[in-house]
């Protein structure tokens, strides 16, 4: 019924496509110069492990995807209508073995990924403390419209849109929210995010291994001020941290119930604020508003 | 009294911002323009009798394409506005949109593209092609199908209605996540418009899906067992079964949200014992399958295309079908991967992660069967095939991104980032939309009687693929840089702006591709005689739709073909072609009930949005009345006798061969030729005026 027709050099489209992809890659790497690619530049154990996992999975995937794609485009090109050297065999059938291959190859890849995925998910469970035997430093976090309130229960200070932490110290961010839709607490340099929700405490354990300032944000949309809900995470040496705590303690206002109430008023693009003292149990009372009981209600099934 | 009559409506609801005024003017101009045009050409009766009240799935399919195509332009305009804002709003610049407005636009963009573009095209293709492929004359329930279409139109009007009244759409993201969508945080009517546009069109989807499952299961030609069904029909069947399973869940979830907003219940509120996490669960139990509801028919389209243009039957039909069934079944049990970050335990997250990774197995198998189909074939690179080649590349990229996101600890870093946005656009554009474009190019001759211009089609394809890579590669990179989705502003020090500008340029290239597609259609109409498809089988097709003339008569087949193999038409051609036998044909009568019911459904929604209770009650009664009347209408069929059929077929065969048109060329026109013709036509008009 069908006959091979037309004759033309068919390498041209391939050359064009390869050139196009190369220039795309070139453009991207040009734009990437002098930028800080957060996920590739992790500053703590959690982010590092998550990055390694990302690379492992990507490599596993490429191992099947690259040969498959090359084969796909090669076959398409080889059996083009204008190629008179290619055989046309419309009636070939593929045996059982072929069908078996179809299923086996992707299954192996999926299995490998599953084998990586399962333990990694347990190892990197955010609720799990970084070191089993030391208690982490606790920072209570309240998502508000549209700012982050940080309460340091051990140091008895509080901050807004700024959080300073000591290096190499396991941290537990106890995430919650007050009069605010679901938000997501994310500091890409230190590690992945978790939701902050009213009436719940979500524990996010992180640790920093380098000093510096790293931006954090809400990754989940929560109203008009969402894009401005950014904060600076300052990682400093332990010494600098305690010095900073002392400076904060000796200056500024107190975070009492009244001030807290004012913070709850919606506002956008807030500058950092430091509170020398945080009235006791603000966090507990805030939770009680939603749960009706005083014990910290943790979400984990 | 006033409150009773018009509820919450007041002068303040009228448009008073630049975008609502602009939108309203466009809306009104379009409606008035259409009315004037139809009146001027005296086409009202024709429009009403032949199209609007039609229950012919082919007509309904074309109407889906028209409305869906129009919505594609509408959603595309949104997209350009979003890209522009993000390219501008860095550092001290706040861009040209307010945060609230920006959020409304991306919400509307998502809703329109998923519900009113992708779903519309999918339903359009299924309407047109499935009955032809299974050798049926009509549907199990032509009325349900028509009703489904009109409810879809009701949803389309509702989603654009906020321009005229209310002035705001939901600013919550396309799924209206709770508690953000509750009255506490979204007191305005925006979310109510969201609720009712999805509610009305969602019920339409359920009804349409029920009809197509019944049609595919009950109305296949004799001899066509399930395992001999064409692959597009298989993909559609899987998709429709998923739709029937999960759309009622969407409807129920939205009703609960509606109760919260309207009756003050506490299902998803932060206070009063509400549980917003419940909403997230419910909406994704529908939301994940939804993306595969869109994807499966596209898989089917590509299988049809690769077999036809490789001139070979599908390699391992069984694996291909099992692959599609596997995808659909797994798709129902992976929804939690959309919120690993909610804080579930490691076992739960790991379980859903593994389930998600498993989906990669059947999808890879589909790709393998396509490779094996091309192997030792004789491949013709027509435009449908180009879309297919582009699709496989993008689908591999998007699929890999998906699997990465399915690994919970990796997802903690990538969730809600632009990497995620890049993933799903690669899937929805590269997978679903390319499938639709491929399908339209493939089946266009069937529905129009002439092929599409190949040259311009190829230009359009290259614009789309180049633009897509330009627009979405930077989004993958931005995600890895830590950029979240849905930002109306970001700091200059992040170094993100060049990437957003690159994305904007990509977006503009895509728009050029869209323009090229419009030009392609116009040019093809101008050259319809040259491109005419007189045989009904322009591609040497393999399945039954190609056994009919292009376009097919309302009854599709003079006699129902007897099927004994897969690729039924191909085998028939080897046996000397499809033989015509004339017999009496029973066809469903047109009905306007679908239109009336949809209008009432729209008014119910409208009444609730503005709290006009009498309108709700009255419309509800009206709707019931229409339904009852329709149920007791037993004269819903008419008969065409064998003699009439023969007369019609003979007349069609004798139709004078195409008259020569002035602008007919020997070759398909290119872009330059097209511009030349348009210019000279414009010049001649100007000259005549003088
Ligand atoms: C190999 C197949 C696929 C895998 C493994 C996969 C995996 C995922 C995962 C894990 C997410 C959630 C990421 C997050 O929120 O952090 C996601 C989101 C999404 N995927 Fe896929 N996906 C696949 C195919 C598809 C296809 C075929 C489509 C569409 C046709 C699609 C559309 C989407 C959409 C729309 C979202 C995000 C919606 C939102 O958050 O607004 N995916 N995918
Ligand atoms: Cu999903």
């Amino acid at each position: 019924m069908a006959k091979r027709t037309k004759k033309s050099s068919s390498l041209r489209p391939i050359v064009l496509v390869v050139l196009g992809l190369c220039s795309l890659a070139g453009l991207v790497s040009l734009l990437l110069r002098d930028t800080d690619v957060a996920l590739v530049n992790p500053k703590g154990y959690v982010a590092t492990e998550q990055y390694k996992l990302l690379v492992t999975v990507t490599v596993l995937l490429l191992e099947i995807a690259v040969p498959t794609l090359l084969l796909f485009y090669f076959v398409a090109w080889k059996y083009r209508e204008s190629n008179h050297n290619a055989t046309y065999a419309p009636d070939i059938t593929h045996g059982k073995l072929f069908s078996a291959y179809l299923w086996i190859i992707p299954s192996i890849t999926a299995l490998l990924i599953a084998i990586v995925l399962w333990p990694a998910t347990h190892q990197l469970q955010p609720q799990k403390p970084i070191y089993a035997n030391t208690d982490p430093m606790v920072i209570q976090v309240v998502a508000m419209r549209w700012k982050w309130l940080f309460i340091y229960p051990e140091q008895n200070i509080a901050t807004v849109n700024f959080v300073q932490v000591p290096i190499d110290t396991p941290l537990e961010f106890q995430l919650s929210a007050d009069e605010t839709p679901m938000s997501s607490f994310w500091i890409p340099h230190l590690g992945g995010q978790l939701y902050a929700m009213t009436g719940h405490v979500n524990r996010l354990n992180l640790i920093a291994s380098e000093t510096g300032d790293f931006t954090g944000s809400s990754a989940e949309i929560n109203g008009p001020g969402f894009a401005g809900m950014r904060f600076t995470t300052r990682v400093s040496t332990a010494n600098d941290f305690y010095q900073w705590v002392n400076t904060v303690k000796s200056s500024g206002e107190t975070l009492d119930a009244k001030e807290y109430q004012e913070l709850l008023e919606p506002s956008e693009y807030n500058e950092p604020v430091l509170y020398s003292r945080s009235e006791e149990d603000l966090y507990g009372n805030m939770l009680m508003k939603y749960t009706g009981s005083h014990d910290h209600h943790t979400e984990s099934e | 009294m006033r409150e009773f009559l018009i509820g919450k409506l007041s002068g303040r609801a009228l448009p008073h911002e630049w975008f609502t005024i602009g939108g309203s003017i466009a809306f009104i101009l379009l409606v008035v323009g259409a009315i004037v045009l139809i009146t001027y050409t005296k086409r009202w009766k024709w429009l009403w009798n032949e199209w609007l009240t039609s229950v012919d799935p082919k007509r309904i399919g074309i109407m889906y394409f028209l409305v869906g195509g129009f919505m594609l332009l509408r959603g595309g305009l949104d997209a350009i506005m979003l890209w522009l804002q993000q390219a501008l709003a860095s550092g001290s610049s706040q861009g040209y949109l307010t945060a609230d407005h920006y959020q409304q636009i991306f919400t509307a963009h998502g809703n329109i593209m998923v519900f009113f573009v992708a779903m519309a095209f999918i339903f359009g293709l299924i309407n047109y092609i499935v009955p032809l492929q299974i050798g049926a004359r009509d549907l199990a329930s032509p009325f349900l199908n028509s009703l489904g279409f009109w409810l879809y139109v009701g949803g389309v009007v509702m989603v654009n209605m906020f321009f005229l009244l209310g002035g705001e759409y939901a600013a919550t993201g396309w799924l209206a996540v709770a508690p953000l969508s509750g009255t506490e945080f979204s007191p305005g009517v925006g979310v109510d418009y969201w609720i009712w546009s999805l509610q009305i069109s969602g019920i339409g989807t359920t009804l349409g899906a029920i009809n197509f499952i019944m049609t595919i299961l009950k109305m296949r030609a004799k001899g066509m067992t399930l395992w001999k069904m064409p692959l597009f029909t298989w993909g559609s069947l899987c998709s429709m079964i998923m739709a029937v399973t999960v759309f009622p869940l969407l409807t129920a979830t939205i009703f609960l949200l509606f109760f919260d907003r309207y009756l003050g219940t506490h299902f998803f509120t932060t206070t009063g014992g509400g549980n917003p996490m419940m909403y997230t669960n419910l909406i994704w139990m529908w939301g994940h399958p939804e993306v595969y509801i869109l994807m499966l028919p596209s898989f089917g389209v590509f299988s049809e295309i690769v077999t036809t243009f490789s001139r070979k039957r599908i390699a391992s039909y069984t694996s291909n079908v099992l692959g599609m069934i596997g995808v659909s079944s797994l798709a129902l049990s992976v929804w939690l991967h959309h919120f690993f970050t909610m804080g579930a335990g490691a076992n739960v997250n790991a379980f859903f992660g593994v389930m998600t990774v498993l989906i990669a197995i059947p999808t890879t198998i589909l790709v393998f069967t396509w490779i094996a189909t091309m192997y030792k074939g004789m491949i013709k690179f027509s435009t449908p095939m180009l879309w297919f080649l582009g699709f496989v590349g993008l689908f591999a990229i998007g699929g890999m991104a998906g699997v990465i996101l399915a690994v919970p600890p990796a997802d903690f870093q990538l969730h809600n980032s632009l990497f995620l946005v890049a993933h799903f656009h690669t899937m929805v554009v590269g997978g679903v939309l390319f499938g639709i474009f491929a399908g339209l190019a493939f089946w266009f001759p069937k529905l129009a009687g002439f092929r599409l211009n190949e040259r311009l089609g190829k230009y359009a394809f290259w614009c789309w693929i180049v633009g897509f890579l330009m627009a979405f590669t930077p989004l993958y990179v931005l995600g890895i840089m830590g950029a979240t989705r849905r930002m109306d502003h970001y700091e200059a020090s992040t170094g993100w702006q060049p990437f957003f500008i690159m994305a904007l340029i990509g977006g503009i290239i895509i728009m050029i591709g869209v323009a090229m597609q419009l030009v392609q259609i116009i040019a093809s109409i101008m050259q319809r005689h040259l491109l005419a498809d007189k045989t009904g089988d322009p591609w040497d097709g393999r399945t039954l739709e190609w056994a009919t003339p292009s376009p097919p008569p309302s009854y599709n087949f003079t006699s129902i073909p007897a099927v004994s193999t897969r690729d039924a038409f191909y085998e028939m051609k080897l046996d000397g072609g499809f033989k015509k036998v004339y017999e009496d044909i029973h066809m469903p009568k047109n009905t306007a009930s679908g239109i009336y019911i949809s209008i009432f459904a729209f008014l119910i929604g409208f009444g609730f949005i503005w709290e006009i209770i009498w309108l709700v009650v009255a419309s509800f009664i009206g709707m019931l009345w229409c339904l009852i009347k329709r149920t007791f209408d037993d004269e819903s069929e008419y008969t065409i006798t064998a003699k009439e059929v023969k007369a019609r077929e003979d007349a069609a065969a004798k139709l004078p061969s195409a008259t020569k048109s002035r602008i007919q060329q020997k070759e398909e026109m290119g872009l330059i030729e097209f511009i030349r013709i348009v210019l000279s036509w414009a010049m001649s008009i100007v000259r005549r005026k003088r």
Side-chain angles (χ1 to χ4, degrees), chain A residues 144-250:
Chain A
M144 294 177 156
R145 276 177 292 166
W146 284 278
K147 56 210 156 253
W148 294 97
L149 171 66
F150 299 93
I151 301 173
Y152 293 68
E154 292 154 34
Q155 287 75 19
N156 193 23
I157 56 170
T159 57
V160 170
N161 277 3
F162 177 88
V163 59
Q164 184 155 343
V165 295
I167 192 172
D168 292 332
T169 311
L171 310 164
E172 180 173 286
F173 292 95
Q174 299 184 347
L175 311 174
S176 192
D178 197 2
E179 296 187 10
T180 302
M182 254 182 226
S183 311
S184 193
F185 182 85
W186 188 26
I187 311 170
H189 283 97
L190 299 192
Q193 64 195 285
L194 224 46
Y195 288 172
M197 302 174 281
T198 50
H200 287 267
V201 179
N202 238 343
R203 289 158 210 273
L204 176 63
N205 283 276
L206 298 173
I207 188 168
S209 60
E210 252 180 74
T211 57
D213 281 1
F214 310 112
T215 307
S217 65
S218 170
E220 178 83 16
I221 184 185
N222 55 9
F226 151 76
M229 203 163 152
R230 295 187 279 252
F231 61 94
T232 304
T233 314
R234 179 161 297 162
V235 180
S236 65
T237 60
N239 258 343
D240 286 352
F241 173 73
Y242 286 106
Q243 214 158 16
W244 171 77
V245 170
N246 285 332
T247 338
V248 174
K249 272 183 177 306
S250 61

Side-chain angles (χ1 to χ4, degrees), chain B residues 153-170:
Chain B
V153 174
V156 166
V157 177
M158 191 60 98
V159 83
N160 289 300
M161 191 67 200
F162 75 93
F163 282 124
L164 291 176
L165 285 174
E168 63 164 324
Y169 191 64

Side-chain angles (χ1 to χ4, degrees), chain A residues 73 81 122 186 193 195 220, chain B residues 311 347 389 413 415-416:
Chain A
Y73 288 108
E81 190 175 37
H122 285 81
W186 188 26
Q193 64 195 285
Y195 288 172
E220 178 83 16
Chain B
R311 301 172 217 194
N347 282 327
L389 293 179
Q413 281 284 49
H415 176 58
N416 273 340

Side-chain angles (χ1 to χ4, degrees), chain B residues 284 287-289 291-292 331 334-335 337-338 356 423:
Chain B
W284 281 118
H288 181 83
V291 303
Y292 279 97
V334 299
W335 75 92
H337 67 211
H338 292 275
T356 309
H423 155 68

Side-chain angles (χ1 to χ4, degrees), chain A residues 25-37, chain B residues 477-478 481 495 498-499:
Chain A
L27 180 60
V28 168
S29 41
L30 191 74
L31 297 183
L32 272 176
R33 272 189 328 180
D34 304 327
T35 54
D36 170 25
V37 184
Chain B
V477 178
L478 282 166
M481 293 173 94
F499 289 96

Side-chain angles (χ1 to χ4, degrees), chain A residues 2 4 39 50 73 79 81 88-89 98 102-103 122 127 179 186 188 193 195 202 219-220 223-224 226 299, chain B residues 99 103 185 270 277 311 341-343 347 365 368 372 376 378-379 381 389 393 412-413 415-416 480 486 489:
Chain A
R4 295 200 183 272
L39 301 203
Q50 287 171 337
Y73 288 108
Y79 294 100
E81 190 175 37
Y88 172 51
F98 168 77
L102 285 185
W103 290 86
H122 285 81
Q127 296 89 342
E179 296 187 10
W186 188 26
Q193 64 195 285
Y195 288 172
N202 238 343
E220 178 83 16
F226 151 76
E299 184 55 26
Chain B
Q103 294 174 351
F185 303 112
T270 56
M277 292 187 291
R311 301 172 217 194
T341 49
M342 194 119 94
N347 282 327
I365 287 165
F368 284 174
K376 298 209 172 164
M378 192 192 293
I379 305 168
F381 292 108
L389 293 179
F412 294 154
Q413 281 284 49
H415 176 58
N416 273 340
I480 292 176
R486 295 169 171 161
H489 178 259

